[in-house]
Structure formats: C-alpha cells, structure tokens
Amino acid sequence: MIKPLTVELGDRSYPIHFSNSLEALRTDIRALRASGKSLRTLADKGALQAQPDYLTRAGFTEDEILVLPAGEPTKSLQYLGEALSFLAQGALNRDSSVFAFGGGVTGDLAGYTAASYLRGIDFYQIPTTLLSMVDSSVGGKTGINLPEGKNLVGAFWQPQAVYIETALLQTLSPREFAAGMAEVIKYGMLADLSLFEELEDLEQLDAHSDALSGIVRQCCALKARIVAEDEKETASSGGRALLNLGHTFAHAIENVAGYGDYLHGEAVAIGLKMAAQLSVELSQIDASTIQRVEAILAKFALPVALKSPLPVEALVQAMTKDKKNRSGKIRFVSMQALGKAVTTEGIETKLIEQILIDGGANR
C-alpha cells in the first residue's frame, strides 16, 4: 500500500493517489457529478487502445471523451484549438472539469486547455506513462510547442488531483518505459544520490517490478517539495529550474530534430550525459561521474549520444529560446556532485559547442 502524497501549495494543495487510485478517481467523479458539474476528458489514442475500458470503469461516458493522436506533434496550436472547441461545443461553464488521460503530451495540452478555457477551469491528471507519472503530471506546468521552440506557450495551472496507477504501465512499450526512466534517473542526479545508487544496484526495473511503485512515489515527493518551494520558477538560482537538468540540451535536440523524432525521455537522456560532461568541464565533478551516468543510462536502454548528426549552430540557436534563460544568457543546470544540482550561467559558447559535437552534432 503506497500512501497518498500532498503537493503543498496552500489553498491550491492537491493529492497524488497511488494505491487504489481508480477507486479514488471514481469517488471524485461521483462527487463532481453530484454537485452538477460537467466533465470532459482529453485522451491519448494509444492509451485508450491499451486500456479501452479504464475511463468507462472510472465513470466517463463516450461523448465526454475527445481522442487525440499520440505523439509530441499533438502539443500544438491545432490541437489546442480542437480541445477548446470540444469544451465550447459542450457548453461547459466555469464549474466544469477537464481530465487528462495519457502521457505528458496529453497532460500538458489538457492542462493548458483548462487554464485557457473561460480563463481557467479545474483539471485532473490520470497519467498513463512512466514519464508523466514521475514528472509532468505533478507541478502544474502546462503548455504547447511552437515551431520555434518547446513549451514556449503555456501556463502554471495546478491540477486538482493526480491519480497514479502503475499497473497501467504493463501495456507500455519498452521504448516508452525507458523514456520515463530518463526522468527517474534525473531525480537521482539532481537531488537524491540514494535513489541513483538504488537504480545502479537494481538487477532490473520494469512495469512488473515490486520496487516500481515506491520509486515513482519517491520521484513525486522530490518534485512536490521543489514545486512547493518555487512554484513558478522565479528563484534567482536553484529552485524549480533544477528540475530541468539535461533539458536545455534535450529541448534543443527535440526542436532541431523535429518533434517526434526523439521521445522526450530519449532527448533528456542525451541531455543528462551532456550535463554531466558540462559539470566536469566546469570542474564541479570528477570525470568518473560521466562513466556512472553513461552506465546507468545504458542499463535502462537509453541513448547517450545523437543517433544522427544535428547542426551545432541550430542547436545553440534553439537554446537561446529556452525558458530558463535570464537577461539574454543561456542558463544551464549542472552538478556540484551526484545528487546536488545548481544553475549555472555565463558559459562560453565554444564549450557548449564542443559538448554538442562530442555528443554527435556537427558543424
């Protein structure tokens, strides 16, 4: 039995359910209906195909569900428009609620749809991928991509509750599960050495592993603490920005390669290796740490370098649009030690270019 967790945000605090999450979802849906609220769900097509009766068992009807294509391209203005129209066609008012059923793409889009419709209505997260369970469903970052960059349009809009059922991961593809492990590894690297070492020691970890539920909760607890301290990423250093370890590199890779060429977690894995290399070049950690990072990424079937070359100039240009940047300077997250991340600015472009080239980019 995994105990629920609360994201502490004052009057906007909310629970994350783990064990018996479907029953918690049913209970909340019954309560919402009893109070006369209208409900709608944005659902990932792949998640629905893998779990065809989950939403009906929870209490939703077919006409309350909008099915969205799987994949990163769905986080777009096109599908934001479709989602908003879906709510408007149902004449939903301000006391209505939106549920997200899917991975990070669906959750980000549903959250931004809820934040935008009638200037903001409630939404709930039902994550179906490992990546969304440990990361994107918690913390209230919502948004969509533009051709110019990832997550450039969005809002901080906290969910009312998150329902995590790790049994859903048993229908997830090995590639998608591995992508989620990149975010799990990230938490160990930035804030929890014991988690990193636990992952090193495990013989294996998959959707059937007894250890999985506890590891998922551990990641959620780390994120909940950081979000409670710096909800809107306004800290001048450290704070919520630390959750983006490896992501400055990763978002640039996704943008230049074209959204969908890499799964988000695959790009993050490459970014984590690059962040480790950056930390070594800045004399923050020992070079042997890179080998540990590479080994754990490889252990969980994640890439450590680009699968085909991307132009360095385009990658650096994409980094200039990163949301963490301040005063026109690219801001990176590096490590003072495994389990202790910091934000770092003022890094020479030549150093970043060399790290990118070492990771498979070209001039």
Side-chain angles (χ1 to χ4, degrees):
M1 183 68 134
I2 305 296
K3 293 182 179 179
L5 180 70
T6 300
V7 181
E8 299 287 357
L9 292 168
D11 60 0
R12 291 174 297 106
S13 298
Y14 56 92
I16 306 173
H17 299 283
F18 299 94
S19 299
N20 300 322
S21 61
L22 179 57
E23 187 53 45
L25 176 59
R26 284 197 193 104
T27 299
D28 288 347
I29 288 173
R30 285 194 295 266
L32 290 169
R33 292 197 189 283
S35 64
K37 295 185 177 182
S38 297
L39 311 180
R40 294 293 185 275
T41 300
L42 306 188
D44 176 276
K45 183 178 181 180
L48 269 183
Q49 289 174 338
Q51 305 289 339
D53 64 343
Y54 193 87
L55 291 179
T56 53
R57 287 165 58 206
F60 293 101
T61 61
E62 255 187 58
D63 61 344
E64 292 175 328
I65 302 169
L66 175 65
V67 183
L68 296 165
E72 193 74 23
T74 299
K75 277 180 59 170
S76 66
L77 289 167
Q78 174 190 342
Y79 288 104
L80 173 65
E82 289 191 19
L84 290 168
S85 292
F86 177 63
L87 303 187
Q89 288 162 8
L92 268 66
N93 53 33
R94 280 184 174 156
D95 66 358
S96 304
S97 298
V98 173
F99 288 74
F101 182 71
V105 167
T106 306
D108 284 2
L109 176 65
Y112 189 48
T113 300
S116 304
Y117 185 72
L118 300 180
R119 299 188 177 92
I121 63 175
D122 290 347
F123 95 109
Y124 298 76
Q125 291 268 23
I126 314 169
T128 63
T129 66
L130 179 58
L131 189 149
S132 59
M133 288 181 186
V134 300
D135 193 66
S136 61
S137 67
V138 178
K141 273 191 176 180
T142 71
I144 58 172
N145 304 326
L146 296 178
E148 292 78 11
K150 188 176 174 72
N151 296 330
L152 292 183
V153 178
F156 288 96
W157 196 249
Q158 298 293 344
Q160 299 298 302
V162 182
Y163 309 90
I164 291 177
E165 183 59 69
T166 54
L168 294 177
L169 300 179
Q170 293 176 10
T171 59
L172 201 64
S173 72
R175 184 185 177 196
E176 286 279 3
F177 188 89
M181 283 304 302
E183 295 287 358
V184 175
I185 293 165
K186 176 199 76 174
Y187 283 110
M189 290 173 63
L190 73 90
D192 192 341
L193 177 59
S194 64
L195 173 59
F196 189 90
E197 291 174 337
E198 180 182 357
L199 296 173
E200 286 183 312
D201 291 341
L202 283 172
E203 288 189 16
Q204 67 172 39
L205 184 70
D206 58 33
H208 300 275
S209 299
D210 292 338
L212 181 61
S213 293
I215 287 172
V216 168
R217 191 188 188 281
Q218 195 171 350
C219 292
C220 289
L222 284 166
K223 184 162 189 182
R225 175 178 60 79
I226 293 171
V227 168
E229 293 170 354
D230 183 26
E231 181 186 1
K232 296 188 177 180
E233 206 171 297
T234 55
S236 57
S237 64
R240 186 166 182 162
L242 298 179
L243 293 168
N244 287 295
L245 179 67
H247 284 56
T248 302
F249 293 107
H251 289 169
I253 290 167
E254 289 180 277
N255 176 253
V256 175
Y259 297 117
D261 196 27
Y262 289 85
L263 294 179
H264 177 62
E266 292 169 340
V268 168
I270 299 167
L272 291 174
K273 158 57 187 321
M274 291 179 174
Q277 185 176 346
L278 174 63
S279 303
V280 170
E281 296 294 341
L282 296 175
S283 299
Q284 294 176 326
I285 60 174
D286 187 84
S288 63
T289 303
I290 295 180
Q291 296 172 348
R292 290 180 71 182
V293 171
E294 285 185 330
I296 201 167
L297 292 171
K299 177 179 182 177
F300 291 103
L302 286 161
V304 295
L306 296 172
K307 56 188 176 184
S308 58
L310 295 173
V312 167
E313 185 177 351
L315 289 166
V316 173
Q317 181 61 31
M319 289 179 186
T320 65
K321 300 182 177 73
D322 191 272
K323 302 185 303 304
K324 296 185 301 301
N325 296 345
R326 298 287 186 271
S327 304
K329 296 179 181 177
I330 301 176
R331 187 161 69 146
F332 290 87
V333 182
S334 58
M335 293 181 296
Q336 290 183 330
L338 266 177
K340 186 177 180 182
V342 293
T343 48
T344 306
E345 297 177 4
I347 298 170
E348 292 186 7
T349 302
K350 286 184 179 179
L351 174 56
I352 300 306
E353 290 177 345
Q354 188 56 55
I355 290 172
L356 291 167
I357 289 169
D358 291 346
N362 63 18
R363 294 191 184 278

